[in-house]
Amino acid sequence: MNELQHIPWGIVAPLIILQLILAVIALIDLVRAERTNGPKWMWVPIILFVSMLGPISYFVLGRRPF
Amino acid sequence: MKQWFVLFRKELLEAWRNYKWIWIPLVYVMLGIMQPISTYFLPEILEAAGGLPEGAIIQLPEPTGVEVMVKALGNYQTLGLLILVLAFMGTISAERVSGVAGMVLVKPVSFASYLTAKWASAVCLTLVATVLGVLGTWYYTEELIGPVSGSAILAGCLLFGLWLTLLVTLTIALSAMMRSSGAIAFVTLLVAAALSIVSSLSGTKLSWMPGRLTNYAGAAIAQGGMPDGAWGAVISTVIGMILLLYIAVSVFRKKELVA
């Protein structure tokens, strides 16, 4: 637990929050989308576990315009 | 003109519903602020990565604010550019394939206003993302690394934003002429690479080339104002964009609407 206290959260927290917002928006869009390129469930782990590039690749490659 | 604004508003609304207005600026802010943060924590990161023998001493040069800002622009030059090209490659080609372009253009809407409304919306988004990203990076650099003057940031941001605008213009112009999204992205990135290579190989000659804009943006941040010769590149870039839009409209007019 001691390790965690050394991390200056004031500096790192904004980056983590932005990352979370990006992932949440991608998930909201994924849930509301009727169809995606590739199976829908496949995008969930990609968005959640690949930081930054996961949500980006969903928006660029996974979305279908119609 | 009133019709153009209707189309423009429609494009902005569509980009908002696509979440482009959220995720592109977010990614730009993250790409930018990662640079000062990772520079600030570099000693700790090296230590945590381990593998160093006991008692090893690493002397890291003290980074300056200017260096960090220039490196952050370098992130936009690679990953940032890739994201913009991928986001805008289907602007017109996808609408033609899906038939939306046909539905819009059977109405009395000119090709020019259809294309320029899309272009203007993409450019707005690009510039807003760049400005927000640079402002975020500037804040973090001032807090963690060292001071950078405001006029340096302004000049650097303008020059770099113009370079990204040129490449977005190229993406949309190609999107009006070609059908395959992959080919559009590939050609745009190839042209961007070619422009950068030509301007770096030509040394002091060809200082007006658009490919120089990224060098000028770096120099502007280092010097704290517009560097010598930057205006030539600015003018040639603006002329290039107008030509690209003109060619795109005239080629698009002759094409079959439905693919």
Side-chain angles (χ1 to χ4, degrees):
Chain A
M1 275 320 278
N2 216 9
E3 288 281 300
L4 279 175
Q5 283 165 4
H6 289 302
I7 300 174
W9 289 108
I11 297 171
V12 187
L15 204 56
I16 297 172
I17 292 169
L18 289 180
Q19 165 70 41
L20 274 178
I21 296 173
L22 197 62
V24 166
I25 292 168
L27 280 180
I28 291 173
D29 189 56
L30 181 66
V31 169
R32 289 167 69 181
E34 214 162 283
R35 293 166 66 197
T36 53
N37 289 324
K40 222 171 166 177
W41 57 266
M42 175 193 83
W43 286 106
V44 177
I46 295 178
I47 290 170
L48 286 179
F49 299 121
V50 186
S51 78
M52 195 163 94
L53 289 180
I56 295 174
S57 53
Y58 168 69
F59 279 120
V60 171
L61 305 171
R63 283 190 103 247
R64 281 188 179 213
F66 302 102
Chain B
M1 213 48 203
K2 201 179 157 200
Q3 189 194 43
W4 188 88
F5 274 106
V6 171
L7 285 172
F8 179 61
R9 282 228 307 277
K10 174 228 165 220
E11 292 307 326
L12 289 180
L13 183 66
E14 188 178 338
W16 174 251
R17 297 250 168 96
N18 279 338
Y19 300 100
K20 274 187 184 148
W21 273 100
I22 303 173
W23 74 265
I24 295 178
L26 259 182
V27 168
Y28 264 66
V29 171
M30 285 165 72
L31 272 181
I33 67 177
M34 266 177 183
Q35 194 64 45
I37 291 177
S38 62
T39 312
Y40 182 72
F41 286 119
L42 194 57
E44 280 89 343
I45 293 169
L46 284 178
E47 208 172 297
L52 294 168
E54 196 71 22
I57 297 170
I58 310 171
Q59 283 273 322
L60 289 171
E62 192 79 7
T64 64
V66 169
E67 274 170 25
V68 172
M69 285 304 300
V70 172
K71 273 197 193 140
L73 285 189
N75 289 350
Y76 294 155
Q77 169 69 1
T78 49
L79 202 53
L81 176 62
L82 181 70
I83 286 163
L84 283 181
V85 171
L86 290 176
F88 293 125
M89 65 188 180
T91 307
I92 292 169
S93 61
E95 288 211 345
R96 196 155 61 198
V97 171
S98 67
V100 174
M103 288 208 282
V104 173
L105 288 165
V106 287
K107 302 196 169 64
V109 170
S110 76
F111 292 90
S113 52
Y114 172 77
L115 198 139
T116 50
K118 285 188 178 305
W119 170 80
S121 147
V123 167
C124 276
L125 182 47
T126 307
L127 292 179
V128 167
T130 314
V131 168
L132 286 179
V134 169
L135 284 179
T137 315
W138 187 30
Y139 174 75
Y140 263 90
T141 308
E142 290 258 343
E143 289 286 308
L144 299 178
I145 315 282
V148 186
S149 82
S151 58
I153 296 292
L154 184 68
C157 196
L158 282 177
L159 289 169
F160 201 81
L162 191 65
W163 165 247
L164 289 179
T165 306
L166 174 71
L167 293 167
V168 166
T169 310
L170 179 65
T171 313
I172 289 175
L174 287 172
S175 185
M177 300 181 221
M178 295 157 76
R179 201 171 292 169
S180 144
S181 297
I184 293 162
F186 179 73
V187 172
T188 311
L189 294 172
L190 204 68
V191 170
L195 279 174
S196 303
I197 290 169
V198 166
S199 67
S200 63
L201 287 182
S202 61
T204 51
K205 284 174 287 176
L206 300 178
S207 63
W208 50 269
M209 283 279 290
R212 276 290 167 85
L213 283 174
T214 49
N215 307 30
Y216 284 136
I221 289 176
Q223 291 171 19
M226 278 293 208
D228 293 335
W231 287 111
V234 169
I235 291 166
S236 72
T237 307
V238 171
I239 294 173
M241 287 197 292
I242 295 169
L243 273 179
L244 274 173
L245 286 176
Y246 180 77
I247 295 168
V249 170
S250 40
V251 171
F252 188 49
R253 189 174 283 145
K254 295 198 184 86
K255 281 223 163 191
E256 294 276 328
L257 264 186
V258 182

